[in-house]
Amino acid sequence: MRTKIVAGNWKMNKNLDETEALLSELSAKLPDTHAEVIVAPTFLNLVAAQTSLQSSAIKVAAQNMHFAESGAYTGEISADMLLNIEVDTVIIGHSERRSLFGETDDLLAKKTKTALDKGMTVIFCFGEELEDRKSGNHFAVVESQLKNALFDLDNSAWNNIVLAYEPVWAIGTGETASPEQAQEMHAFIRKTIAEAYSTSIAEEVSILYGGSVKPSNAVEIFSKPDVDGGLIGGASLKADDFTAIIKAI
Ligand code: 13P
């Protein structure tokens, strides 16, 4: 299912009123597109988002979830809770979860497994830090992030995984990987998956780029053959910018 996808990760932005306002503007302005369009508001506003988007092609995703079925995990949200409100897509492994909340490859492997076992789609994020790139370690870091969290999964799990390569140095910094850097890494990711699994699995998985994607750079980034779309932060919070990025694909 190598599909084109444009997903907006709203992070900790937009209260209920703002969520409803942005979604109604987005629905009204949504261009005709072959791409899947996803928005990930905060947990608190997922139900409202589902209601607002009832007659829209835009899908709703969660930004995180816990790996356990249920129980004494204060402040956490389970896969079943998301599925109960018909949210079947979840972002896992965002660099902010890794760096600010101490989420490790091990934990992300558990979350991913639970989500997939429950029949959900996982948008799995990973990417190197600036020092890794400067020291030429970026390929090794990305390979180990993928291997540690995903490579114990069965072949069939890959039907429900979307990858999002997000170099940490490009997130929210205004600095973007060049289209060539994005293509180089996406091709490397596909090769790594082909070696661990098969060429057909590698060819079928959608790999999104994330990190300061804007209307002004989206066309060039999305034109690269191994870039299947984007995971958009800041620019997904403005309907005009987000729709311009959707048009770019
Ligand atoms: P920005 O687009 O704001 O750089 O954020 C990217 C991101 O983290 C999406 O998950």
Side-chain angles (χ1 to χ4, degrees):
M1 64 149 212
R2 182 156 166 196
T3 38
K4 301 280 183 192
I5 299 171
V6 178
N9 175 9
W10 290 10
K11 309 190 180 182
M12 196 173 73
N13 294 294
K14 304 288 178 193
N15 64 24
L16 176 59
D17 296 342
E18 292 162 347
T19 297
E20 286 171 341
L22 176 53
L23 291 177
S24 91
E25 195 184 348
L26 261 183
S27 302
K29 294 181 173 172
L30 190 69
D32 246 354
T33 177
H34 56 288
E36 193 175 330
V37 178
I38 301 174
V39 292
T42 163
F43 285 131
L44 196 60
N45 294 326
L46 290 175
V47 172
Q50 290 286 49
T51 309
S52 298
L53 295 173
Q54 242 161 21
S55 51
S56 160
I58 303 173
K59 279 195 66 164
V60 176
Q63 296 176 19
N64 183 24
M65 58 165 255
H66 198 271
F67 63 83
E69 184 77 27
S70 64
Y73 298 99
T74 301
E76 292 292 326
I77 306 276
S78 72
D80 282 342
M81 289 171 184
L82 295 173
L83 289 168
N84 184 244
I85 56 165
E86 292 171 15
V87 171
D88 65 3
T89 302
V90 61
I91 298 172
I92 288 179
H94 193 278
S95 72
E96 287 143 23
R97 299 297 318 166
R98 295 173 188 257
S99 66
L100 303 174
F101 301 97
E103 298 200 1
T104 60
D105 288 346
D106 256 11
L107 179 71
L108 300 174
K110 284 187 189 167
K111 289 185 181 209
T112 302
K113 184 166 185 329
T114 299
L116 294 170
D117 285 350
K118 293 281 178 183
M120 298 179 78
T121 295
V122 171
I123 301 176
F124 184 83
C125 306
F126 56 97
E128 82 282 0
E129 313 237 352
L130 186 57
E131 304 78 71
D132 303 321
R133 184 155 282 264
K134 280 188 174 157
S135 63
N137 247 354
H138 45 299
F139 294 116
V141 167
V142 160
E143 185 172 3
S144 86
Q145 288 172 327
L146 291 172
K147 183 167 174 279
N148 294 343
L150 302 182
F151 286 3
D152 279 340
L153 295 166
D154 293 339
N155 287 11
S156 63
W158 287 86
N159 294 328
N160 292 312
I161 294 176
V162 172
L163 297 176
Y165 167 61
E166 299 203 307
V168 178
W169 49 271
I171 295 179
T173 58
E175 196 171 327
T176 325
S178 68
E180 291 69 31
Q181 285 173 320
Q183 168 57 27
E184 183 186 37
M185 183 58 88
H186 284 220
F188 171 78
I189 292 162
R190 244 182 254 291
K191 179 170 110 358
T192 304
I193 295 168
E195 283 163 10
Y197 287 90
S198 68
T199 309
S200 66
I201 288 179
E203 284 302 317
E204 286 296 297
V205 67
S206 297
I207 309 178
L208 314 184
Y209 168 80
S212 299
V213 178
K214 306 177 273 254
S216 58
N217 59 25
V219 170
E220 236 198 316
I221 293 173
F222 294 163
S223 71
K224 294 296 175 190
D226 285 301
V227 177
D228 302 309
L231 183 56
I232 322 297
S236 71
L237 299 172
K238 293 188 200 118
D240 287 336
D241 286 357
F242 195 53
T243 49
I245 292 169
I246 295 165
K247 275 188 203 139
I249 209 160

